[in-house]
Amino acid sequence: MNMTRLIQSRTIASPLGRVLTAASASSPAANASGKMCPTSQQNYATAAAGGAGPLALQRQPVPKLADTMQKLVRSIEPHVDGDTLAGTKRAVEKFTVPGGIGQKLQSLLEQRAAEKDNWLADWWLRCAYMEYRDPVIVYSSPGLVFPRASYKTLDEQLQYAAKMVSAALAYKMLIDGGKIKPEMMGKVPLDMSQYEKIFGTCRIPGKERDSVQYNPRSRHIVVACNNHYYRLPVFTAAGGIVSERQILAELKKIAAKEGNSRAAPLGILTANHRDSWAQAYETLMADATNRASVESIQQALFVLSIDRELPQKQGTDHIVTASDLLIHGGGSAANGGNRWYDKTIQLVVAPNGINGLTYEHSPAEGQPIAVMTDFLLEYIGSGKCLNTMDQAELSAGAVKLDFNVTPAVRSEIDQAAGFVDKLAADIQMDYLHFTDYGKGFIKTQRMSPDSYIQMAIQYAFYRLHHVPGAHYESAQNRMYLHGRTETIRSCSVESVAFARAMLEPKRDGRSKLEAMKAAINAHKAYVSMAIQGYGVDRHLLGLKLTAKENGLALPDLYADQGLQKSAHMRLSTSQVASRYDAFMCYGPLTQDGYGCCYNPKEDDMWFGVSAFRSNKDTDLARFRVSLQEALREMYEVLVVFGEKPKGKL
């Protein structure tokens, strides 16, 4: 995925928003807004969940043009030489000349902002997701690896799956009842409406542009087993959740019927390039039986995938296997067809305790998914039912969804399988469980844990590649109505100076500490601007789209070499916090880059990392080691020169 498209011609899907906690305003999570609608297949309106109405939220501002240009030049400086930077400055001067194109676009964008609740929200959904044509797997949809469960047998796997379904339904009832606690950033309320979009939502493929369908009042889920699909009702006529025992009974029936019979991997179509999937979708939906089955999947609250065992690759462990499983299912011959990747939520329960979820990114950033994950894990681990609804029996059992796999559909499946298998073979997933210390120690140093980790990632990249890495981190804009995300440009003049200081053998520890503090403080300052909507990238995007919608030529600034280099994000990072040994993972933004998502706990940290095997400019194994060593070297500086060091080293 090429980050340069963000400001040149077409934007890309952002990496995950980071989970905001009361103690860490530097952990911004992204959000969107919308309202539960009384009937299915309608767009959301503008009410938020949890009793915190969005009318109390401010509108997202349009930054001042001069301020954005100043920040842009500063963010480009680490990536270019003096001559290139001088060229960027000339391009900026030309763009911002009084009465010029920049000021004209700024004025038009301000007019749009005055007329809309949020000037960015619909543009972002359309450009970052609906018009993005790469497949959702690897390039957009993250996987969330849950801690390994203790089950071994198929019966135990199904028991765990039934418990997970029950937990998800209990969480859905909390959302419907407005019982999700409103989140705050200090004293500022955050838009909570995105929580209402995680259940019953499905992306619909289209030629050149997809769409999103919302079905919040759905009363069924879909179970995928050996590439077969079943519609399973999960609510009673009175609105209560059916019993976990009854869910388990239905899962056992499905597994007994389909356990040794694999269907064509129809779901692999949803993992294909979006234009190819749109073409196959037309072929598939031309048949009435297929159309009814597809619509049942689209309207489901979520998909539960009961997976077959994915063989463990040589030299890896079950955690890497889980990452592969949740990103691409292991390809068409494994579990890649036992999915419907257009669904916002897919719960995955595989053999030998491997489990987690995959989610389609367009309607939600990481916040509601991470909060839901902690709820699911707490529910499952509690050994008791946490919801208070009266449970009753199903009036009807699971119904198989039939498909007519015609020669034309089979041809589309074969094409998709070839494409997905090649992509699955290319993406390399790994993880780092760093146990030397966690965010608790970082806080004793009076440092932001997120900014500290971001600078560790910056340093890890520099010590491995000896060049600065343009670095994407997603910041929430949920303090605004319909707020989505802004980019935190973590690579800075200060981060490069810090990396170089750490690598200088003759540099004394105290000066290394000062460079570390300067880099961390620079990152914190950018975070503060970004969460208030005063970053660089979304403003540039808004000006670009303003030009497009008004029939104006794209300004020369967008072709500037410095701008392009700073937007080629070789590091795609985000914080997704959990109380558990869980972590989120996704693919890189660029072919020559790394994905790096992290969960900083009090005494340890989890990192999900990725890269493409086919690219010779990256080395995931060495990056993982470099990240571990960067964290240790930073600790060594702090343990001597920092404040009251605590830790295990």
Side-chain angles (χ1 to χ4, degrees):
M1 184 158 34
N2 190 338
M3 187 63 188
T4 307
R5 297 177 189 172
L6 179 66
I7 51 178
Q8 285 183 306
S9 59
R10 179 170 293 174
T11 59
I12 55 127
S14 68
L16 288 176
R18 299 177 299 143
V19 174
L20 180 72
T21 63
S24 178
S26 64
S27 298
N31 204 341
S33 61
K35 167 185 172 180
M36 292 286 235
C37 51
T39 59
S40 66
Q41 302 183 31
Q42 295 180 4
N43 289 330
Y44 282 88
T46 57
L55 295 179
L57 301 175
Q58 304 175 56
R59 289 185 176 185
Q60 184 161 337
V62 176
K64 294 181 180 180
L65 185 62
D67 290 348
T68 295
M69 293 299 107
Q70 182 180 15
K71 295 169 193 171
L72 174 63
V73 172
R74 179 73 172 172
S75 72
I76 289 172
E77 188 173 345
H79 305 287
V80 298
D81 58 24
D83 290 342
T84 304
L85 185 63
T88 297
K89 291 178 178 178
R90 289 193 295 270
V92 167
E93 289 174 1
K94 179 181 177 182
F95 182 70
T96 57
V97 67
I101 185 62
Q103 290 194 356
K104 181 175 183 179
L105 294 177
Q106 177 76 4
S107 178
L108 290 170
L109 183 58
E110 289 170 350
Q111 290 178 31
R112 174 184 171 90
E115 297 167 358
K116 288 184 169 289
D117 289 339
N118 188 301
W119 62 264
L120 176 62
D122 57 345
W123 270 350
W124 184 250
L125 179 64
R126 188 188 80 202
C127 298
Y129 297 105
M130 298 299 101
E131 293 179 352
Y132 184 64
R133 299 289 85 193
D134 278 338
V136 293
I137 67 164
V138 176
Y139 294 98
S140 179
S141 295
L144 209 161
V145 179
F146 288 7
R148 191 174 193 176
S150 60
Y151 61 81
K152 299 292 183 183
T153 67
L154 175 59
D155 276 352
E156 291 171 342
Q157 179 185 355
L158 296 178
Q159 289 172 19
Y160 190 89
K163 175 70 75 172
M164 187 180 287
V165 169
S166 182
L169 294 174
Y171 193 69
K172 165 67 172 168
M173 296 300 288
L174 291 179
I175 294 173
D176 288 353
K179 295 179 180 178
I180 301 296
K181 184 178 179 180
E183 294 168 12
M184 306 287 288
M185 185 169 61
K187 296 182 179 180
V188 179
L190 301 181
D191 188 307
M192 292 294 293
S193 58
Q194 193 177 44
Y195 280 83
E196 297 173 339
K197 292 187 174 184
I198 62 178
F199 290 107
T201 303
C202 193
R203 184 165 172 164
I204 311 298
K207 291 182 177 178
E208 299 185 353
R209 183 189 295 179
D210 295 349
S211 57
V212 181
Q213 183 185 104
Y214 303 100
N215 301 281
R217 302 305 183 197
S218 176
R219 304 178 70 81
H220 72 275
I221 68 170
V222 163
V223 179
C225 180
N226 263 348
N227 302 339
H228 299 275
Y229 299 94
Y230 281 79
R231 177 187 177 113
L232 176 60
V234 289
F235 284 95
T236 67
I241 301 172
V242 300
S243 70
E244 186 178 311
R245 179 180 60 81
Q246 185 71 11
I247 293 171
L248 176 58
E250 293 301 316
L251 296 184
K252 286 183 174 180
K253 290 177 186 177
I254 293 170
K257 184 174 182 180
E258 309 297 358
N260 297 313
S261 171
R262 300 200 79 192
L266 189 74
I268 207 75
L269 294 172
T270 66
N272 204 358
H273 186 279
R274 299 307 294 180
D275 284 340
S276 298
W277 171 212
Q279 176 181 317
Y281 185 76
E282 288 189 355
T283 303
L284 188 65
M285 298 293 276
D287 179 275
T289 298
N290 294 345
R291 184 165 60 253
S293 295
V294 169
E295 288 175 351
S296 282
I297 297 173
Q298 292 170 337
Q299 294 165 11
L301 289 173
F302 55 86
V303 170
L304 167 69
S305 294
I306 301 173
D307 274 10
R308 297 159 59 99
E309 185 172 0
L310 184 63
Q312 191 168 302
K313 296 176 182 177
Q314 187 175 2
T316 65
D317 60 19
H318 74 277
I319 299 178
V320 176
T321 299
S323 300
D324 286 338
L325 191 75
L326 295 168
I327 291 296
H328 50 67
S332 62
N335 297 291
N338 201 47
R339 301 281 188 274
W340 199 267
Y341 283 107
D342 287 350
K343 288 298 295 181
T344 299
I345 295 294
Q346 292 187 93
L347 303 176
V348 177
V349 182
N352 302 319
I354 294 175
N355 68 109
L357 64 83
T358 300
Y359 94 93
E360 198 284 305
H361 204 326
S362 61
E365 312 298 342
Q367 172 79 342
I369 309 303
V371 174
M372 181 186 74
T373 293
D374 276 2
F375 180 91
L376 297 183
L377 293 174
E378 180 181 354
Y379 185 108
I380 292 167
S382 69
K384 61 181 180 180
C385 179
L386 298 183
N387 72 74
T388 58
M389 298 298 298
D390 292 332
Q391 296 192 339
E393 300 302 305
L394 284 168
S395 57
V399 177
K400 187 172 184 178
L401 301 177
D402 294 322
F403 287 94
N404 292 323
V405 181
T406 64
V409 172
R410 168 56 73 177
S411 177
E412 298 285 4
I413 291 173
D414 290 344
Q415 186 275 327
F419 176 86
V420 171
D421 290 347
K422 183 177 180 180
L423 181 57
D426 192 21
I427 188 66
Q428 182 181 7
M429 308 301 300
D430 205 344
Y431 73 99
L432 170 64
H433 184 199
F434 186 79
T435 58
D436 293 356
Y437 61 92
K439 65 181 180 181
F441 166 73
I442 300 169
K443 287 186 287 189
T444 69
Q445 302 302 300
R446 300 182 182 179
M447 294 176 174
S448 157
D450 185 72
S451 294
Y452 181 97
I453 294 169
Q454 284 285 306
M455 292 306 99
I457 296 170
Q458 268 288 297
Y459 175 37
F461 186 94
Y462 193 93
R463 73 195 296 278
L464 178 60
H465 294 290
H466 308 293
V467 294
H471 188 158
Y472 185 111
E473 182 185 13
S474 128
Q476 69 161 348
N477 287 151
R478 288 175 57 218
M479 64 188 296
Y480 299 120
L481 179 62
H482 307 322
R484 290 294 305 230
T485 66
E486 175 60 273
T487 300
I488 300 168
R489 293 188 164 209
S490 293
C491 183
S492 64
V493 172
E494 292 83 1
S495 74
V496 176
F498 160 61
R500 288 174 176 166
M502 292 293 288
L503 291 172
E504 289 183 22
K506 296 182 180 180
R507 193 78 170 257
D508 68 274
R510 194 167 299 280
S511 66
K512 289 180 179 180
L513 175 60
E514 292 307 312
M516 185 193 305
K517 288 181 177 179
I520 289 171
N521 288 335
H523 180 266
K524 283 180 62 179
Y526 204 110
V527 168
S528 179
M529 293 186 298
I531 62 177
Q532 296 178 74
Y534 294 108
V536 167
D537 293 87
R538 299 302 179 265
H539 190 194
L540 286 173
L541 172 64
L543 296 170
K544 177 181 76 71
L545 293 177
T546 298
K548 182 178 179 181
E549 292 200 354
N550 286 275
L552 301 172
L554 190 66
D556 294 341
L557 174 65
Y558 290 87
D560 176 71
Q561 184 179 353
L563 178 55
Q564 292 179 8
K565 285 189 174 182
S566 72
H568 185 74
M569 301 292 187
R570 296 187 67 185
L571 288 164
S572 172
T573 67
S574 48
Q575 179 187 153
V576 178
S578 171
R579 299 192 305 272
Y580 297 88
D581 288 329
F583 65 91
M584 201 167 268
C585 53
Y586 43 75
L589 285 176
T590 64
Q591 288 294 316
D592 60 348
Y594 301 96
C596 185
C597 191
Y598 49 95
N599 173 19
K601 299 173 65 186
E602 195 67 18
D603 298 313
D604 61 326
M605 310 180 207
W606 286 88
F607 296 84
V609 294
S610 64
F612 288 105
R613 289 186 172 90
S614 59
N615 192 277
K616 304 306 180 185
D617 294 326
T618 55
D619 187 322
L620 189 60
R622 291 180 65 202
F623 177 75
R624 179 187 176 279
V625 171
S626 186
L627 178 57
Q628 178 174 264
E629 292 305 309
L631 289 163
R632 286 177 173 169
E633 290 174 22
M634 291 169 71
Y635 180 92
E636 289 169 2
V637 170
L638 291 169
V639 82
V640 177
F641 299 101
E643 299 185 24
K644 299 178 182 179
K646 296 178 182 180
K648 301 175 184 178
L649 281 180

